Amino acid sequence: MALMDFIKKQFIDIIQWTETGDGTLAWRFPMAEMEIQNGASLTVRESQVAVFVNEGQVADVFGPGMYKLTTQTLPVLTYLKNWDKLFESPFKSDVYFFSTRQQVDQKWGTPQPITIRDKDFGAVRLRAFGNYSFRIGDAKRFHTEISGTRDIYTVADLDGQLRGLVLQNISNAIASSGVPFLDLAANQIQFAQALAAQLVPEFAKIGIQLEAITVQNVSLPEELQKILDQKIGMGMVGNDMGKFMQYQTAQAIPKFAEGSGQGSGIAGDAMGLGAGVALGQVLAQNLQQGLNPANAAPAAAAQQQPSVAVINPADVMTTLEKLGELKTKGILTQEEFDAKKAELLKKLV
């Protein structure tokens, strides 16, 4: 009885793979020195593919299902081994199972800023990151190009290769999309679509099928980020330049006020007042045009007409500084100085 048990163990009559965890892409069925019994049962579960390899050459490929291994179900292997159609002896062959399940939430990102070329801004350095999902789409190609004769091949083994492909193709994706870089950066879905279009054929070269890719964040240089923010602001006002200028003017007033507050003495007061008056007039004109577009053209024409001479704020500031020196030396009284100061400042209005 012991001799018969020993003989039975030399032949394999059931070939199958039950995955014990996540992350395995390819698994080699343990053959040792055993042979496959003619008529043995092959079970390929959903989300699996089985590949028979004869002396390093890929033979038959099986999708999900149950198979009885004979010369009829192994036509390629039968041809490679020159078997007769009535061949019924045990045989040797390497059998590899591949998982075709989606491998989700795979991370990608730029560890260092990468340089891309844009038709509007030339060379641009950016950081970006996101995630993607993939599956084995061509088990035969994946075996010959990637996994080879290894007993097991995992997602972690492939991770560096796929990340490298993503980073390598970011610049090409932006260039081939024909969409300005700032538009892609502002629309991450469009950015992801352009990147996917570039990556699908690259992944296919190694038997991988890209299922989805997302761009979760794009970090731009500070200068480009400011331009992007302005572009977004234009979009919020419907690309109306008049309204956008109103917004810009209103944003600038606090900055001028802050700058004037840092000034000293009369010069700072005069500069602050002059800037405030000028900005107030610009803001009033912009608001007037925005609220009543019909009057915009006459107002613009009126501004082009010759006007009375305008006092230069810098000259007023210089005069006030000299008057201040005279007051300090006691030549002018405080009342005289205040009266002259009020007169000069009225000319700025």
Side-chain angles (χ1 to χ4, degrees):
M1 181 66 86
L3 179 60
M4 293 300 296
D5 291 340
F6 174 76
I7 293 175
K8 287 182 179 179
K9 290 181 181 178
Q10 305 312 299
F11 303 103
I12 300 170
D13 56 5
I14 297 177
I15 302 176
Q16 63 180 348
W17 175 37
T18 303
E19 298 180 59
T20 57
D22 295 328
T24 301
L25 295 174
W27 178 77
R28 181 179 182 176
F29 188 87
M31 287 295 184
E33 297 301 322
M34 296 182 290
E35 295 182 339
I36 301 173
Q37 179 70 51
N38 187 276
S41 174
L42 170 67
T43 301
V44 183
R45 291 175 169 80
E46 290 290 342
S47 75
Q48 291 181 356
V49 171
V51 176
F52 281 68
V53 179
N54 175 60
E55 298 178 353
Q57 186 173 359
V58 175
D60 298 280
V61 179
F62 294 86
M66 293 186 65
Y67 306 88
K68 182 179 180 181
L69 300 178
T70 64
T71 54
Q72 284 73 34
T73 55
L74 293 166
V76 179
L77 192 61
T78 299
Y79 171 79
L80 293 175
K81 290 184 174 290
N82 295 315
W83 288 338
D84 185 86
K85 291 184 179 180
L86 299 178
F87 178 84
E88 294 183 357
S89 300
F91 60 92
K92 281 190 175 182
S93 177
D94 293 322
V95 182
Y96 296 88
F97 283 87
F98 297 87
S99 173
T100 58
R101 291 190 296 124
Q102 276 201 57
Q103 306 299 326
V104 299
D105 197 26
Q106 305 300 308
K107 309 295 184 183
W108 69 270
T110 54
Q112 300 295 332
I114 62 172
T115 302
I116 63 142
R117 300 202 63 82
D118 180 69
K119 62 181 181 180
D120 295 328
F121 299 100
V124 177
R125 292 173 62 82
L126 65 86
R127 289 178 182 267
F129 66 84
N131 59 14
Y132 64 97
S133 61
F134 70 92
R135 71 169 84 236
I136 292 179
D138 186 337
K140 180 178 178 180
R141 177 167 291 186
F142 184 80
H143 171 77
T144 56
E145 298 290 338
I146 301 296
S147 61
T149 60
R150 290 178 53 170
D151 291 338
I152 187 169
Y153 199 91
T154 66
V155 172
D157 295 324
L158 189 62
D159 181 68
Q161 173 72 13
L162 296 185
R163 287 192 187 203
L165 284 176
V166 174
L167 300 183
Q168 177 182 336
N169 285 277
I170 288 180
S171 181
N172 292 338
I174 294 174
S176 62
S177 70
V179 180
F181 171 70
L182 280 184
D183 291 340
L184 288 179
N187 188 336
Q188 294 175 358
I189 294 178
Q190 193 174 19
F191 196 168
Q193 291 172 343
L195 189 54
Q198 187 72 24
L199 288 174
V200 166
E202 297 298 323
F203 277 36
K205 291 178 182 179
I206 57 174
I208 296 297
Q209 179 178 322
L210 179 67
E211 292 293 332
I213 187 167
T214 66
V215 177
Q216 298 175 345
N217 180 267
V218 179
S219 299
L220 307 177
E222 183 178 354
E223 296 77 10
L224 269 185
Q225 187 62 54
K226 290 179 180 178
I227 296 175
L228 178 59
D229 291 341
Q230 289 184 348
K231 190 175 183 69
I232 294 173
M234 283 288 292
M236 294 175 64
V237 296
N239 291 320
D240 187 315
M241 183 58 72
K243 292 182 180 178
F244 184 68
M245 289 303 298
Q246 295 170 22
Y247 168 78
Q248 291 286 74
T249 304
Q251 291 292 101
I253 290 177
K255 295 181 181 179
F256 274 98
E258 181 180 351
S260 66
Q262 295 175 353
S264 58
I266 300 166
D269 292 341
M271 184 173 291
L273 178 60
V277 170
L279 281 174
Q281 292 174 345
V282 172
L283 179 59
Q285 293 169 0
N286 284 335
L287 288 173
Q288 178 69 21
Q289 293 176 11
L291 294 174
N292 194 357
N295 296 332
Q303 290 177 359
Q304 295 176 357
Q305 295 177 359
S307 59
V308 297
V310 178
I311 300 297
N312 190 338
D315 295 337
V316 173
M317 180 183 69
T318 302
T319 303
L320 288 175
E321 287 177 342
K322 292 180 179 180
L323 291 174
E325 292 175 359
L326 293 175
K327 180 178 73 68
T328 302
K329 294 178 181 180
I331 298 176
L332 292 178
T333 64
Q334 183 66 46
E335 291 76 15
E336 292 172 336
F337 174 79
D338 290 340
K340 191 62 177 176
K341 174 184 175 182
E343 179 183 348
L344 289 172
L345 292 179
K346 285 182 180 180
K347 295 180 180 181
L348 288 175
V349 180

